[in-house]
Amino acid sequence: MSSVVVPFYQRRHKHFDQSYRNIQTRYVLEEYAARKAASRQAAHYESTGLGKTTCRLCARRARSLAHEAMQESRKRTHEQKTHASDEKRIKFASELSSLEREIHMARHHAREQLDRLAIQRMVEENMSLERHAFEEKISRAPEILVRLRSHTVWEKMSVRLCFTVQGFPSPVVQWYKNEELITPASDPAKYTVENKYGVHVLHINRADFDDSATYSAVATNIHGQASTNCAVVVRRFRESEEPHPAGVMPFHLPLSYDVCFTHFDVQFLEKFGVTFATEGETLTLKCSVLVTPELKRLRPRAEWYRDDVLITDSKWTKLYFGEGQAALSFTHLNKDDEGLYTLRMVTKGGVNECSAFLFVRDADALIAGAPGAPMDVKCHDANRDYVIVTWKPPNTTSQNPVIGYFVDKCEVGLENWVQCNDAPVKICKYPVTGLYEGRSYIFRVRAVNSAGISRPSRVSEPVAALDPVDLERTQTVRVDEGRKIVISKDDLEGDVQIPGPPTNVHASEISKTYVVLSWDPPVPRGREPLTYFIEKSMVGSGSWQRVNAQVAVKSPRYAVFDLAEGKPYVFRVLSANKHGISDPSEITEPIQPQDTIVVPSAPGRVVATRNTKTSVVVQWDKPKHEENLYGYYIDYSVVGSNQWEPANHKPINYSRFVVHGLETGEQYIFRVKAVNAVGFSENSQESEAIKVQAALTCPSYPHGITLLNCDGNSMTLGWKAPKYSGGSPILGYYIDKREANHKNWHEVNSSLITRTIYTVEDLIEDAFYEFKIAAANVVGIGQPSDPSEHFRCKAWTMPEPGPAYDLTVCEVRNTSLVLLWKAPVYEGKSPITGYLVDYKEVDTEDWITANEKPTSHHYFKVTDLHQGHTYVFKVRAVNDAGVGKSSEISEPVFVEASPGTKEIFSGVDEEGNIYLGFECKEATDASNFLWGKSYEEIKDSDKFKIETEGDHSKLYFKNPDKSDMGTYCISVSDTDGVSSSFVLDEEEFERLMTISNEIKNPTIPLKSELTYEVLDKGEVRFWIQAESLSPNSTYRFVINDKEVENGDRHKISCDHANGIIEMVMDKFTIDNEGTYTVQIQDGKAKNQSSLVLIGDAFKTILAESELQRKEFLRKQGPHFSEFLYWEVTDECEVLLACKIANTKKETVFKWYRDGSGIDVDEVPDLQRGECHLTIPKLSRKDEGVYKATLSDDRGHDVSTLELSGKVYDDIMLALSRVSGKTASQLKILCTEEGIRLQCFLKYYNEEMKVTWSHRESKISSGEKMKIGGAEDVAWLQITEPTEKDKGNYTFEIFGGKESFKRTLDLSGQAFDDAVTEFQRLKAAAFAEKNRGKVVGGLPDVVTIMDGKTLNLTCTVFGNPDPEVLWFKNDKPLELNEHYLVSLEHGKYASLTIKGVTSEDSGKYSIHVKNKYGGETVDVTVSVYRHGEKIPEVNQGQLAKPRLIPPS
């Protein structure tokens, strides 16, 4: 696979979108086709004889063709002998003669080529002899013409060491650093070696302090050796000094050729720093630049680099330089943008640069747990229908491992992304086929893990599906007058019909899932466009299978998929054009699909070293097998957290990395893994834990040199310590002096000065001196301070005091700060009485005195400052003579509390010691925690003890008393002014003392005091619970001042885990009245609790104990686990229930009411544990005492429930509640008495609490309104309704807290209809009452012996008196002596039959009727003879009447 990312033919191709269908683009394509046609014609012209060659390959090919032609002619001759046709013999003869001419010509050409080769070989041999002789004359040992030159440079500059050497043969040059061989390959980012025309150059890129050394170059050949050396000194510089002096340019930088030849002075006012961003965000890196002189039409060139690669304007990055600012903007961040960014300002005087790393984190996954997006998607080896896409895998430290990738393609100009692979591909490389020739494509990749699919990567650069051979086979010839002739080698091909087979078929790439085959087009190939067909065969199978049967391949390259893993295959290729298909190519060697690239081995030892307060330098040994590496991923973890986070999100190619964004003072461990196309290596071994803090350096320079006193022969100087000690304690200071107008500095002290004040002796009176001071630590001597002002050596005699010195600002908060100083060395003529503190804002002129009265302290808290403003301060001492000289003005102070500012806190430790504590994450190994009281250092070891460990410090009070109250302060050296104070007032002191006393004289905290509970068996448990108890704690119980021991009667135990101590008394009797106490001791802590059980309290517990004992005995046999209780069912039945336990088959259960047994339909199932007795419709007759009994050979138990009184009322209330839920709407029923309103319920009892209301007025039952009901209905009878009875009627049933209302509007049409119906029913009732009727007396059947007299008598009624008629067999009865009828007093009717015979048998009817109607009663008479069996007749049944309507 080609290593060129974008070949020349890709860069020259315009990436068309779908607009190629327009006219302009069509013209371009037609021109391209015309060029190809012209090239084919030119190729044809060349094939006619103008393109002769004399190379061996052509000669060999000619001989081969001749030999093949002869074989073909012999074959044809043999075939033609079998034909008798003269015409064919003549044709054969002509072809043979033509063939002989061709063979003759081929032999002639071959002879000419062999002659030329012989001449060429002879010339080369002669030239070799002459060259050897000449080399012997000029051979000599190496000689150095220009030697190495020593360099002194600043940090981060680059060094270029050059020397010139001559000698023959050309010498081999090796470079050494302090006599150790330099191997550029081991650190390509640091060293680069060049050799041009005998000038050898060693580039040292971005030199640091460790690069200071002696460098040597040794040149060697077979005649001898020569060497040269030089010294390189790398110096550190302060911000005020130029990092690159004029004339020094780090030539290793990849500068553009358009160098600015004007000298500018460039200073970076504001630099961009280490930046953390997230994918998808927009970001701008900015630098404020001061350029002097400022010219409108001429300015330095601003160049941006990422990992030393020049950045240009693109879709993703925008550059800007102007108005004093250089900026690089990112329109849409991706992890591809992560790297080291450098801004280089290029001028004639050199290069000024600033660098910082940009970290780009993964955007939030669309699916929780999905991996981050891949990156660096590139296209390689593009052809007509084929391209290889590669990418780099994401770091999956925080997610599940990636199991594969999906590759998507999209045609330029469209937004339709198509997935190229059905199954995830496991390596970071994929051959994409099926492209359309002439179209441009972009690609993207998505990663897949067990949780889901990642976001897509940044799209690749566009790539065109074109054959690079097309342009290589095209030649442009320029002729006169600017004309061009385009010649294509396709046009020079001969008249080949069917192409030959491809050659050189081989596997250009092999993986586990596919094999990429490559081949050379056939020669000759013909003029027609070629396509290819690929065939595969598993070794040993003997059969061939066409791979691309559906799609013809146009490129001489193809990726074959669907191969069995571990099985060897052979391949062959066939070429085809419109005339046909060639013979197969030669078969390849057996090819077995397998990964040629393996997972890299783990990196070696990982070493982490200190760098800054928030970063660590991580270095590691490269893995043993580092071929084809994409780079490394670094992970970090806080010690003890076991949670790893990625440090970088894009693989880095070097074995050293600075991890940023760490928390100061925290301890971290690191690990590294290598990555290539196959995947990740195993994690390296974890590094040693390292605490994040600044690396050791030389201290910064002292400042604020002040003259404190002068006696004419000596001067006392004071100064401020350096801001930064370099990570190591400052050992002392060196002072240099010189007289005014002198150039040379003279050393004042040869040994270190440990204080920041010193008296310089042996000075000349009235002379002027200046001084500079340098600090030293274990690393070395730091930069000296700036020279002081000129001090005059003249004795001070003024009466006012001298200046205070060593002004220090601490405890900077949002509106206040504390200023500290030291007393003047020169007091004046009288003692100092106080100090005045002055301050002002930086941009103002007027000083403000902070204190009206001089303060006697050496500290002062300045308040009422403005947040975000910058101030300076000075102090003036005061004595009786007046105000003395002002101190040096302090450095500007920005008034604002730093983020995360910590304060002193108070506390008491486990032993009861009171302390003040402070935590400082910014502390380094060189930092000191300086405690003070009233801002004076604490040195009293009898009263205080200071303990410091890491970034924590505590001040302990040994014997605290009220004299310890006051203001305490702390400052931490070698930090950015970290300090705090704490006021220990009386309230806080008392609080701490209380806690201390509790700890020193501890009591065991109790969760619960001593209490008791009665257990199931009647045992009494006394228990107490403490907050916690150790296994070594002791305890004892005391009853009535007498300790009890653990035994059968008093069972004492302790649960240390839960802090529970208990005593269980088996038998609690009247003798146990008294006081109970438990005493506990756990180490020094003690506690006790008492419980008094006397009088009523004792009687209560005694009664409860006896009750529980009885209950326990009861439960030994069959017993009620729940005694009788009642409940109401949804069917309004009352259920008496109980629950039983400990029963067996022999157990007997019975129900009783008022002492009498109750027979039940079903025998209760005792195994269910529940028994029920149902009372269907409860009423007063069901009142009584209900009892349930259980008995067997183990015992007897009884449960009683009295169903009367309140219990009965409660049941009725529950029935009302259940029945009320089933109440229907009010309905109207008309009767002869009036209108009846009815409400139907599941159950109704007159004892239920119900009310009827008319127009919201309660109705009482009476003659007019009657209230009543039945089992399933409640009603209201309105007798003789009138107009007054109209209105709303409400029925309400009460069920305790609930009530149920039903309402009916009896008015309007409803009332009228009801009244009409009432009148009708009333009339019908009247008629029914007064109609004729048989009141009684007639049976339905009568039997009588013949010869007897039958008398049928009945009572009739009617108003008016009814008419009475008798019938026999539905015919009127004819009256005679045999049949006699009578009606006495209008109500007694009778029929007499004398001497009945069998003929008198039949149906006799009496017809009673008046104007209101009547009725008919039938009587059947049966006559039997003497001696016959009397017919059976049902006695006592009366005849049933039949109604007769009114006339």
Side-chain angles (χ1 to χ4, degrees):
M1 185 184 71
S2 173
S3 61
V4 181
V5 176
V6 181
F8 70 93
Y9 60 86
Q10 295 288 353
R11 292 196 298 269
R12 289 164 52 183
H13 175 71
K14 181 178 180 182
H15 298 282
F16 295 104
D17 57 14
Q18 286 296 330
S19 64
Y20 59 74
R21 295 185 178 88
N22 62 30
I23 296 176
Q24 180 181 0
T25 311
R26 190 158 61 246
Y27 288 160
V28 176
L29 294 179
E30 290 174 357
E31 181 181 356
Y32 178 71
R35 290 173 59 190
K36 290 183 64 176
S39 65
R40 284 196 295 271
Q41 293 178 1
H44 175 69
Y45 171 73
E46 182 179 1
S47 65
T48 58
L50 297 179
K52 296 181 179 180
T53 178
T54 59
C55 67
R56 293 180 181 179
L57 180 61
C58 294
R60 187 181 301 112
R61 186 177 299 168
R63 287 195 297 271
S64 176
L65 290 173
H67 180 70
E68 292 176 359
M70 289 178 66
Q71 294 293 335
E72 184 67 24
S73 65
R74 289 173 183 173
K75 182 178 179 182
R76 290 176 182 174
T77 302
H78 177 71
E79 291 176 352
Q80 289 177 356
K81 286 180 180 181
T82 61
H83 297 279
S85 176
D86 293 340
E87 182 180 353
K88 291 183 179 179
R89 284 198 298 270
I90 294 172
K91 183 178 180 181
F92 169 73
S94 63
E95 289 178 352
L96 182 60
S97 62
S98 176
L99 181 60
E100 288 176 348
R101 286 195 300 272
E102 291 179 1
I103 293 172
H104 178 73
M105 291 297 295
R107 287 176 177 173
H108 177 71
H109 290 320
R111 189 178 300 109
E112 287 181 350
Q113 293 172 4
L114 291 173
D115 292 342
R116 289 191 182 96
L117 288 174
I119 294 171
Q120 183 178 355
R121 188 179 298 110
M122 183 176 62
V123 170
E124 289 177 353
E125 291 175 353
N126 292 335
M127 290 181 65
S128 176
L129 293 172
E130 292 178 1
R131 187 185 305 112
H132 181 69
F134 179 74
E135 288 177 354
E136 286 183 345
K137 291 180 182 180
I138 65 174
S139 295
R140 59 179 177 271
E143 179 184 0
I144 295 176
L145 303 180
V146 179
R147 308 189 71 82
L148 291 173
R149 182 174 59 86
S150 297
H151 291 69
T152 300
V153 297
W154 298 106
E155 274 190 314
K156 295 186 180 179
M157 291 180 58
S158 295
V159 183
R160 187 170 182 265
L161 305 180
C162 308
F163 79 101
T164 305
V165 64
Q166 67 179 9
F168 195 86
S170 296
V172 176
V173 175
Q174 291 180 312
W175 292 87
Y176 294 86
K177 174 184 175 182
N178 289 339
E179 300 182 358
E180 291 185 5
L181 180 64
I182 296 175
T183 306
S186 64
D187 194 354
K190 173 61 70 175
Y191 300 108
T192 306
V193 175
E194 294 180 1
N195 176 18
K196 292 184 179 180
Y197 313 112
V199 179
H200 295 265
V201 181
L202 172 65
H203 291 279
I204 305 175
N205 300 328
R206 300 176 65 81
D208 55 31
F209 190 76
D210 295 335
D211 292 321
S212 298
T214 299
Y215 290 82
S216 305
V218 179
T220 308
N221 64 9
I222 59 175
H223 300 293
Q225 188 180 77
S227 65
T228 177
N229 57 62
C230 68
V232 174
V233 178
V234 181
R235 298 181 59 192
R236 288 191 169 90
F237 56 89
R238 299 198 297 271
E239 292 182 358
S240 60
E241 297 173 320
E242 290 189 11
H244 299 299
V248 179
M249 175 182 278
F251 288 98
H252 77 289
L253 305 179
L255 303 177
S256 64
Y257 294 105
D258 185 18
V259 179
C260 181
F261 288 102
T262 303
H263 180 80
F264 290 94
D265 181 20
V266 179
Q267 294 182 9
F268 291 110
L269 302 180
E270 292 183 9
K271 300 180 181 180
F272 62 94
V274 176
T275 306
F276 295 89
T278 305
E279 280 189 308
E281 296 178 347
T282 57
L283 177 69
T284 301
L285 302 179
K286 298 179 181 178
C287 259
S288 296
V289 183
L290 177 62
V291 180
T292 308
E294 184 177 357
L295 304 177
K296 293 184 178 180
R297 297 187 179 182
L298 198 61
R299 60 183 184 182
R301 185 173 60 254
E303 296 179 343
W304 288 88
Y305 295 83
R306 178 175 60 238
D307 298 330
D308 281 340
V309 177
L310 183 64
I311 299 174
T312 57
D313 268 329
S314 68
K315 175 183 178 181
W316 312 108
T317 54
K318 304 296 179 183
L319 306 178
Y320 172 78
F321 177 47
E323 299 180 358
Q325 190 176 77
L328 171 63
S329 298
F330 299 88
T331 57
H332 186 282
L333 278 173
N334 285 87
K335 289 184 292 187
D336 306 59
D337 298 316
E338 184 171 287
L340 179 65
Y341 284 81
T342 303
L343 171 62
R344 292 169 181 155
M345 305 299 298
V346 184
T347 67
K348 179 180 178 181
V351 175
N352 292 66
E353 70 174 33
C354 66
S355 300
F357 206 92
L358 169 62
F359 294 89
V360 183
R361 303 184 184 92
D362 286 305
D364 292 338
L366 299 176
I367 301 173
M375 70 210 80
D376 201 15
V377 180
K378 294 182 180 179
C379 302
H380 307 267
D381 203 17
N383 221 293
R384 291 178 177 175
D385 51 7
Y386 164 91
V387 68
I388 288 183
V389 179
T390 63
W391 60 91
K392 292 179 181 178
N395 192 352
T396 56
T397 301
S398 304
Q399 298 89 22
N400 293 330
V402 171
I403 59 176
Y405 302 89
F406 285 118
V407 180
D408 303 331
K409 68 179 178 181
C410 179
E411 199 170 331
V412 172
L414 300 180
E415 295 183 357
N416 183 26
W417 287 94
V418 179
Q419 186 172 299
C420 301
N421 52 319
D422 295 330
V425 59
K426 296 184 181 300
I427 63 174
C428 298
K429 183 188 298 183
Y430 186 74
V432 179
T433 57
L435 306 181
Y436 292 98
E437 183 177 4
R439 299 189 185 181
S440 298
Y441 295 88
I442 54 177
F443 298 87
R444 70 183 188 187
V445 183
R446 295 170 293 149
V448 186
N449 68 2
S450 58
I453 303 177
S454 73
R455 293 176 179 268
S457 67
R458 175 180 283 180
V459 299
S460 68
E461 292 295 328
V463 62
L466 292 176
D467 190 350
V469 179
D470 285 349
L471 293 178
E472 292 178 1
R473 294 174 61 82
T474 302
Q475 182 178 1
T476 302
V477 179
R478 298 182 183 273
V479 296
D480 296 339
E481 299 179 358
R483 290 179 298 172
K484 300 178 182 178
I485 297 177
V486 179
I487 302 173
S488 174
K489 291 185 179 180
D490 290 348
D491 300 327
L492 303 180
E493 295 284 350
D495 294 329
V496 177
Q497 296 295 320
I498 297 177
T503 60
N504 191 26
V505 181
H506 64 283
S508 59
E509 187 173 336
I510 300 174
S511 79
K512 187 183 296 183
T513 56
Y514 65 88
V515 171
V516 177
L517 295 177
S518 299
W519 59 87
D520 295 333
V523 177
R525 57 179 288 170
R527 300 179 182 179
E528 301 300 334
L530 288 179
T531 57
Y532 302 96
F533 295 96
I534 297 91
E535 295 180 347
K536 67 178 180 180
S537 174
M538 188 181 295
V539 173
S541 66
S543 62
W544 290 91
Q545 179 184 357
R546 182 160 292 180
V547 176
N548 60 324
Q550 303 297 327
V551 180
V553 176
K554 299 179 181 180
S555 305
R557 231 167 258 99
Y558 189 74
V560 182
F561 292 88
D562 299 328
L563 301 176
E565 185 177 348
K567 301 291 185 181
Y569 288 84
V570 291
F571 302 89
R572 64 186 185 186
V573 184
L574 299 86
S575 57
N577 60 14
K578 70 178 184 179
H579 299 294
I581 301 178
S582 73
D583 295 331
S585 66
E586 293 183 2
I587 299 173
T588 64
E589 294 294 328
I591 300 170
Q592 183 172 331
Q594 58 186 1
D595 287 333
T596 56
I597 303 175
V598 298
V599 175
S601 56
R605 185 170 63 100
V606 180
V607 178
T609 55
R610 289 161 51 177
N611 188 46
T612 68
K613 292 182 179 180
T614 57
S615 65
V616 167
V617 176
V618 180
Q619 302 179 77
W620 58 92
D621 295 334
K622 295 182 179 179
K624 294 180 180 179
H625 305 288
E626 56 175 330
E627 297 81 5
N628 304 305
L629 275 188
Y630 285 162
Y632 304 92
Y633 279 123
I634 299 94
D635 303 330
Y636 66 90
S637 174
V638 177
V639 172
S641 68
N642 199 28
Q643 183 175 355
W644 291 91
E645 297 292 338
N648 61 318
H649 309 85
K650 176 182 175 182
I652 58 170
N653 296 321
Y654 31 88
S655 58
R656 181 181 183 274
F657 187 72
V658 180
V659 180
H660 290 274
L662 305 179
E663 186 176 349
T664 304
E666 193 64 78
Q667 285 194 327
Y668 291 87
I669 53 177
F670 301 86
R671 68 184 185 190
V672 183
K673 54 192 171 190
V675 59
N676 64 6
V678 178
F680 296 95
S681 71
E682 295 292 331
N683 289 316
S684 67
Q685 293 184 352
E686 297 172 2
S687 69
E688 295 291 333
I690 184 172
K691 185 177 181 181
V692 180
Q693 52 190 3
L696 296 177
T697 59
C698 290
S700 59
Y701 53 90
H703 58 284
I705 302 175
T706 307
L707 179 60
L708 303 179
N709 193 10
C710 181
D711 60 6
N713 295 317
S714 64
M715 291 182 180
T716 301
L717 303 177
W719 61 89
K720 291 183 180 179
K723 287 185 178 180
Y724 299 101
S725 66
S728 176
I730 294 176
L731 303 178
Y733 303 90
Y734 290 102
I735 302 176
D736 294 338
K737 69 176 181 180
R738 71 178 177 186
E739 290 187 52
N741 301 323
H742 285 218
K743 293 183 178 180
N744 296 327
W745 289 90
H746 300 282
E747 188 179 80
V748 172
N749 58 312
S750 58
S751 59
L752 287 170
I753 301 170
T754 58
R755 299 177 60 195
T756 56
I757 184 172
Y758 186 74
T759 300
V760 182
E761 305 285 351
D762 301 327
L763 302 179
I764 301 174
E765 190 173 1
D766 280 336
F768 286 87
Y769 292 90
E770 61 180 341
F771 304 88
K772 65 179 181 180
I773 305 172
N777 62 8
V778 293
V779 178
I781 302 174
Q783 295 292 325
S785 66
D786 295 327
S788 68
E789 62 179 276
H790 291 86
F791 298 134
R792 184 179 181 184
C793 187
K794 183 177 181 181
W796 286 6
T797 58
M798 66 276 197
E800 298 84 4
Y805 69 100
D806 199 11
L807 266 66
T808 304
V809 176
C810 61
E811 300 179 35
V812 179
R813 301 298 183 260
N814 289 334
T815 58
S816 65
L817 55 80
V818 174
L819 187 65
L820 310 177
W821 61 87
K822 292 182 180 178
V825 175
Y826 180 78
E827 292 187 352
K829 299 301 183 181
S830 61
I832 296 174
T833 58
Y835 301 89
L836 296 176
V837 177
D838 303 327
Y839 68 93
K840 73 180 184 69
E841 291 193 38
V842 169
D843 298 330
T844 60
E845 297 295 334
D846 298 331
W847 287 89
I848 301 172
T849 301
N851 52 328
E852 296 180 359
K853 296 181 179 180
T855 177
S856 58
H857 302 295
H858 293 163
Y859 63 91
F860 187 79
K861 185 172 185 178
V862 184
T863 58
D864 299 328
L865 302 177
H866 298 288
Q867 182 178 355
H869 291 211
T870 304
Y871 295 85
V872 291
F873 302 85
K874 65 181 181 180
V875 177
R876 295 172 293 158
V878 180
N879 64 4
D880 294 341
V883 180
K885 296 180 65 174
S886 173
S887 67
E888 289 287 325
I889 298 175
S890 70
E891 293 184 348
V893 180
F894 183 72
V895 178
E896 186 173 70
S898 301
T901 298
K902 302 284 186 180
E903 301 291 352
I904 296 175
F905 57 91
S906 61
V908 181
D909 66 9
E910 296 178 352
E911 297 181 356
N913 298 317
I914 299 175
Y915 67 87
L916 300 179
F918 187 72
E919 178 184 358
C920 177
K921 291 290 186 181
E922 295 84 356
T924 65
D925 291 343
S927 298
N928 290 323
F929 289 80
L930 305 176
W931 287 92
K933 183 179 181 184
S934 300
Y935 295 95
E936 293 184 3
E937 186 177 356
I938 294 176
K939 297 180 180 180
D940 189 352
S941 58
D942 294 333
K943 290 187 66 66
F944 302 100
K945 181 179 72 172
I946 298 175
E947 290 185 359
T948 301
E949 182 178 354
D951 54 7
H952 296 74
S953 182
K954 291 183 178 179
L955 173 67
Y956 284 93
F957 297 85
K958 290 185 175 181
N959 297 299
D961 54 34
K962 290 194 175 183
S963 64
D964 293 321
M965 292 188 295
T967 301
Y968 291 84
C969 62
I970 189 172
S971 61
V972 185
S973 64
D974 203 43
T975 61
D976 192 12
V978 175
S979 55
S980 179
S981 63
F982 183 86
V983 177
L984 184 61
D985 55 17
E986 185 174 358
E987 181 181 356
E988 178 66 11
F989 180 77
E990 292 297 336
R991 185 184 72 85
L992 295 174
M993 287 297 293
T994 301
I995 298 174
S996 176
N997 289 330
E998 290 178 355
I999 296 175
K1000 290 182 178 180
N1001 302 294
T1003 59
I1004 299 175
L1006 299 178
K1007 284 186 177 180
S1008 174
E1009 297 286 344
L1010 182 62
T1011 186
Y1012 73 91
E1013 64 176 335
V1014 180
L1015 304 181
D1016 293 341
K1017 296 182 181 180
E1019 300 169 326
V1020 179
R1021 173 179 176 254
F1022 295 89
W1023 62 279
I1024 186 172
Q1025 184 174 13
E1027 292 284 349
S1028 63
L1029 288 176
S1030 71
N1032 299 323
S1033 60
T1034 60
Y1035 52 88
R1036 67 181 193 139
F1037 274 91
V1038 178
I1039 302 177
N1040 294 331
D1041 299 329
K1042 182 180 180 181
E1043 182 179 357
V1044 296
E1045 301 291 339
N1046 184 24
D1048 294 337
R1049 187 172 181 184
H1050 302 89
K1051 299 175 182 177
I1052 302 174
S1053 62
C1054 177
D1055 181 1
H1056 292 90
N1058 296 313
I1060 297 176
I1061 302 172
E1062 66 178 15
M1063 177 183 67
V1064 179
M1065 297 181 66
D1066 187 22
K1067 293 183 179 180
F1068 194 75
T1069 65
I1070 196 170
D1071 298 331
N1072 298 124
E1073 186 176 7
T1075 302
Y1076 292 75
T1077 303
V1078 63
Q1079 298 174 345
I1080 314 172
Q1081 182 170 356
D1082 192 355
K1084 296 181 179 179
K1086 298 179 181 179
N1087 207 337
Q1088 73 174 29
S1089 179
S1090 297
L1091 179 64
V1092 178
L1093 296 178
I1094 298 175
D1096 292 340
F1098 175 76
K1099 292 177 181 179
T1100 301
I1101 186 174
L1102 181 61
E1104 186 178 356
S1105 174
E1106 291 176 350
L1107 176 63
Q1108 290 296 335
R1109 187 179 297 109
K1110 291 179 181 179
E1111 279 292 298
F1112 173 75
L1113 295 175
R1114 180 179 70 85
K1115 293 179 180 179
Q1116 300 309 302
H1119 63 275
F1120 292 93
S1121 57
E1122 285 190 27
F1123 292 103
L1124 278 178
Y1125 60 93
W1126 60 267
E1127 60 183 28
V1128 176
T1129 66
D1130 293 339
E1131 299 300 324
C1132 294
E1133 296 177 340
V1134 177
L1135 203 67
L1136 301 184
C1138 61
K1139 292 183 180 180
I1140 59 178
N1142 199 16
T1143 61
K1144 59 182 182 178
K1145 292 182 179 180
E1146 293 78 10
T1147 303
V1148 177
F1149 179 88
K1150 291 184 178 180
W1151 289 100
Y1152 294 89
R1153 176 187 171 193
D1154 295 333
S1156 300
I1158 301 175
D1159 294 330
V1160 293
D1161 297 335
E1162 294 183 6
V1163 177
D1165 184 3
L1166 303 185
Q1167 300 300 320
R1168 293 174 51 193
E1170 291 186 7
C1171 295
H1172 303 93
L1173 177 64
T1174 303
I1175 303 176
K1177 302 293 183 179
L1178 183 69
S1179 62
R1180 284 289 178 183
K1181 66 180 180 179
D1182 297 313
E1183 286 185 320
V1185 177
Y1186 289 81
K1187 182 171 66 174
T1189 63
L1190 271 174
S1191 63
D1192 60 20
D1193 57 355
R1194 296 171 297 166
H1196 177 81
D1197 200 10
V1198 178
S1199 178
T1200 303
L1201 176 65
E1202 184 176 355
L1203 187 58
S1204 61
K1206 186 177 184 306
V1207 175
Y1208 184 86
D1209 295 339
D1210 291 342
I1211 295 175
M1212 279 297 168
L1213 202 61
L1215 283 169
S1216 300
R1217 184 164 54 252
V1218 175
S1219 181
K1221 294 179 181 178
T1222 66
S1224 67
Q1225 295 298 324
L1226 293 181
K1227 300 181 183 298
I1228 300 175
L1229 177 65
C1230 295
T1231 66
E1232 65 273 15
E1233 296 178 357
I1235 300 173
R1236 178 175 291 184
L1237 304 182
Q1238 299 182 120
C1239 180
F1240 292 92
L1241 310 97
K1242 278 194 175 182
Y1243 174 75
Y1244 177 74
N1245 189 303
E1246 292 183 355
E1247 295 180 2
M1248 289 183 177
K1249 187 177 180 181
V1250 299
T1251 59
W1252 287 89
S1253 301
H1254 178 218
R1255 298 176 183 173
E1256 298 183 358
S1257 296
K1258 185 177 178 181
I1259 299 174
S1260 298
S1261 182
E1263 292 295 331
K1264 178 66 176 176
M1265 299 282 189
K1266 295 181 180 179
I1267 297 174
E1271 287 185 353
D1272 58 351
V1273 64
W1275 50 259
L1276 171 68
Q1277 180 75 41
I1278 306 173
T1279 305
E1280 297 293 335
T1282 62
E1283 289 293 327
K1284 294 181 179 179
D1285 298 323
K1286 290 184 178 180
N1288 282 326
Y1289 287 84
T1290 301
F1291 172 70
E1292 183 173 10
I1293 182 169
F1294 296 92
K1297 295 181 180 179
E1298 294 181 274
S1299 64
F1300 307 92
K1301 289 184 179 182
R1302 300 293 184 266
T1303 303
L1304 177 68
D1305 184 9
L1306 186 62
S1307 60
Q1309 187 64 38
F1311 180 81
D1312 295 342
D1313 292 344
V1315 170
T1316 302
E1317 180 65 13
F1318 157 68
Q1319 295 293 345
R1320 185 187 69 79
L1321 292 175
K1322 181 179 179 181
F1326 181 81
E1328 175 65 21
K1329 180 179 179 183
N1330 295 297
R1331 70 175 173 84
K1333 62 184 70 174
V1334 178
V1335 177
L1338 289 179
D1340 59 344
V1341 176
V1342 177
T1343 60
I1344 188 169
M1345 184 186 296
D1346 60 353
K1348 300 281 186 178
T1349 298
L1350 175 64
N1351 186 9
L1352 297 176
T1353 303
C1354 64
T1355 304
V1356 299
F1357 172 79
N1359 187 18
D1361 293 335
E1363 176 185 6
V1364 177
L1365 297 176
W1366 291 89
F1367 293 86
K1368 179 181 179 182
N1369 296 329
D1370 296 330
K1371 294 179 180 180
L1373 184 66
E1374 294 180 1
L1375 301 176
N1376 50 35
E1377 293 180 355
H1378 187 65
Y1379 296 101
L1380 299 176
V1381 174
S1382 65
L1383 179 64
E1384 297 178 2
H1385 307 296
K1387 62 177 182 178
Y1388 302 110
S1390 64
L1391 169 63
T1392 303
I1393 304 175
K1394 296 181 178 179
V1396 296
T1397 63
S1398 58
E1399 294 179 355
D1400 294 325
S1401 296
K1403 181 178 76 173
Y1404 291 83
S1405 303
I1406 183 172
H1407 187 89
V1408 181
K1409 180 181 178 183
N1410 62 11
K1411 64 179 181 179
Y1412 296 113
E1415 64 183 20
T1416 299
V1417 177
D1418 296 330
V1419 179
T1420 301
V1421 176
S1422 177
V1423 180
Y1424 64 91
R1425 294 178 181 178
H1426 182 74
E1428 292 182 355
K1429 184 178 179 180
I1430 300 175
E1432 294 183 0
V1433 176
N1434 293 331
Q1435 299 296 327
Q1437 292 187 2
L1438 299 178
K1440 295 181 180 179
R1442 289 181 286 128
L1443 296 178
I1444 299 173
S1447 56

